[in-house]
Amino acid sequence: MTDFGPSFGLRDPDARGYYGEFGGRFVPETLVAPVEELERAYLEARRDPEFGRELRRLLRDYVGRATPLYEARRLSSSLGGARIFLKREDLAHTGAHKINNALGQALLARRMDKHRIIAETGAGQHGVATATVCALLGLECHVYMGSEDMERQSLNVFRMQLLGATVIAVDSGSRTLKDAINEAMRDWVTNVADSYYLLGSVLGPHPYPLMVREFQSVIGQEARAQILESAGRLPDAVVACIGGGSNAMGIFDAFVADRAVRLIGVEAGGRGIRKGEHAARFAGGAPGVLQGTRSFVLQDEDGNIELTHSISAGLDYAAIGPEHASLQAAGRAEYTWVDDAAALEAFGRLAREEGILPALESAHAVAHACTLAPQLGREAILVVNLSGRGDKDVISVRKIMEAPGLRSGQAGQ
């Protein structure tokens, strides 16, 4: 058993980094050696008890793990169906699950004697987490962020700067997460000798999808033990929002072998399932390669990447992690979407009924739980991964609520 999760040796990809037909390693020649070096270093680190001990100590004493599993009784009662439990990743240091992976990779970078960290961010939470662990470990930090995301997540930009990070605006393309990743990878190509690319989700070339999932698997380990203690049994379903998919893979990981537990990922339906208006890869995408890995991608007939839209910067991305694509193809996980309006409605509902402001990303999972819970009996149990807190989104939500034209929420299968 690994120090990171129960899946070590059980659900690793094949030798080429594939989960079934998805995954792999698609990188320029300059990055072949650095990625292979990273794989060797990670596989060695996860076998090293001392590395695991230091990671666990910092997760406990610095991040504040274990995060609680909280039963949302008022929300459950008002919906009139299943009992809803929230895995409170919003209570982790920096306010989201991103710190789990950032800490693990930063320790790995230090182990590899790489002291210049490159990262990308969409909603800003991965950037804040990366800047935080760089400050903790004395590492140099450079974060690439789309200029549109910088505008809607200005608070997180300032937080990163306060933590000592250099935040670089990306004005190319759609000026969102995809473009930030492009620029971060260009930086890595140029500075491979002393730099470490700290990727924020279960994306990119192997070993990143494996590595990020295992660093996030602590979420699922805790949630599984907590629901058994609280309810005396496993849940009927586990629900999580999905951009790249790290929070979802983190909580799904501990339940994959439990076939009776439904695993439900919730994508961003945006303004509707029309080209350029959403980020629901399974609703409008097809298999393809983007930024180092083969997965489901929003693309046109010629393979050009389509523009995406979501009310939440963290879900505004054209591809999904390859392991999610594999779970969907195998029928082990199911994926749906909710639109901007439904997410915004869930954001307000959780605030009013439970006193919790969820991140707009997490609000997508809450929205689907609000739809699903009444369809199930009162004995059913849903675990929802509340992947982040909504402080970062309050100004954006106020602007949206003051503007006319947002329709009532919609969802799709």
Side-chain angles (χ1 to χ4, degrees):
M1 180 174 291
T2 179
D3 287 309
F4 309 143
S7 60
F8 174 57
L10 299 176
R11 292 198 304 108
D12 280 9
D14 67 21
R16 300 179 305 141
Y18 276 85
Y19 302 87
E21 63 179 293
F22 301 103
R25 182 181 288 162
F26 298 84
V27 295
E29 186 176 353
T30 314
L31 288 181
V32 171
V35 169
E36 290 176 345
E37 177 193 19
L38 174 63
E39 180 184 15
R40 288 193 299 272
Y42 176 66
L43 295 178
E44 178 184 285
R46 76 175 186 176
R47 291 191 295 266
D48 183 352
E50 182 54 38
F51 184 86
R53 279 193 290 269
E54 184 174 16
L55 177 59
R56 288 195 305 275
R57 177 182 64 82
L58 288 170
L59 287 172
R60 181 193 67 215
D61 299 339
Y62 187 71
V63 174
R65 305 209 68 90
T67 59
L69 185 71
Y70 164 72
E71 184 170 4
R73 295 179 186 273
R74 290 198 67 226
L75 178 65
S76 301
S77 178
S78 72
L79 291 167
R83 297 168 66 188
I84 297 175
F85 290 78
L86 305 176
K87 180 56 174 162
R88 297 292 306 277
E89 290 301 290
D90 59 312
L91 296 179
H93 182 42
T94 72
H97 72 291
K98 292 293 187 181
I99 190 74
N100 306 319
N101 167 61
L103 179 60
Q105 285 201 58
L107 290 172
L108 181 62
R110 188 183 66 178
R111 180 186 177 98
M112 296 173 68
D113 201 28
K114 307 280 187 180
H115 297 282
R116 180 178 181 271
I117 304 299
I118 306 159
E120 84 299 324
T121 196
Q125 287 302 117
H126 175 59
V128 169
T130 301
T132 298
V133 298
C134 285
L136 172 68
L137 300 177
L139 304 172
E140 183 182 341
C141 184
H142 299 262
V143 180
Y144 288 87
M145 191 171 189
S147 55
E148 180 176 325
D149 290 341
M150 290 181 72
E151 182 177 347
R152 56 182 170 174
Q153 296 294 338
S154 58
L155 175 61
N156 274 345
V157 174
F158 188 50
R159 291 173 72 193
M160 286 182 265
Q161 293 167 338
L162 286 173
L163 290 159
T166 299
V167 184
I168 303 106
V170 177
D171 290 312
S172 60
S174 60
R175 300 179 292 121
T176 56
L177 181 58
K178 171 179 67 69
D179 313 290
I181 294 175
N182 283 338
E183 292 303 315
M185 293 192 79
R186 288 190 185 102
D187 186 326
W188 193 23
V189 167
T190 307
N191 300 286
V192 292
D194 67 340
S195 297
Y196 180 99
Y197 180 24
L198 205 162
L199 184 59
S201 195
V202 285
L203 299 164
H206 176 66
Y208 281 109
L210 169 65
M211 184 165 60
V212 176
R213 183 246 288 166
E214 290 204 316
F215 283 133
Q216 293 291 4
S217 67
V218 64
I219 306 171
Q221 292 177 59
E222 291 175 3
R224 194 177 195 280
Q226 288 165 331
I227 195 64
L228 286 172
E229 180 179 358
S230 296
R233 68 175 182 87
L234 294 177
D236 296 275
V238 176
V239 182
C241 67
I242 292 193
S246 66
N247 91 87
M249 280 310 313
I251 197 166
F252 287 177
D253 183 67
F255 298 95
V256 168
D258 301 301
R259 304 293 297 189
V261 179
R262 294 170 63 187
L263 306 178
I264 305 173
V266 185
E267 298 186 277
R271 291 182 285 255
I273 308 302
R274 301 178 298 274
K275 288 181 185 263
E277 298 291 308
H278 69 96
R281 285 64 52 101
F282 289 118
V289 174
L290 180 63
Q291 294 173 327
T293 192
R294 185 175 191 273
S295 187
F296 256 72
V297 181
L298 292 170
Q299 57 191 327
D300 65 19
E301 293 79 4
D302 298 317
N304 299 308
I305 304 305
E306 293 179 350
L307 295 176
T308 57
H309 162 77
S310 173
I311 195 173
S312 57
L315 304 188
D316 198 350
Y317 184 63
I320 195 168
E323 194 169 2
H324 283 295
S326 178
L327 289 174
Q328 193 267 351
R332 179 59 192 96
E334 52 195 277
Y335 297 83
T336 186
W337 56 268
V338 300
D339 67 11
D340 288 349
L344 188 63
E345 183 178 324
F347 180 97
R349 183 169 192 164
L350 194 65
R352 292 188 304 271
E353 296 189 6
E354 294 291 347
I356 298 171
L357 288 171
L360 280 173
E361 291 78 15
S362 311
H364 285 70
V366 175
H368 183 66
C370 289
T371 299
L372 181 61
Q375 299 172 10
L376 304 175
R378 291 182 182 273
E379 298 304 311
I381 295 173
L382 299 182
V383 171
V384 179
N385 198 19
L386 200 69
S387 57
R389 67 178 182 231
D391 305 49
K392 68 182 178 62
D393 295 314
V394 168
I395 294 174
S396 296
V397 168
R398 184 178 67 181
K399 289 179 180 177
I400 294 165
M401 293 178 71
E402 291 173 350
L406 197 66
R407 298 173 300 161
S408 60
Q410 296 180 17
Q413 300 297 328

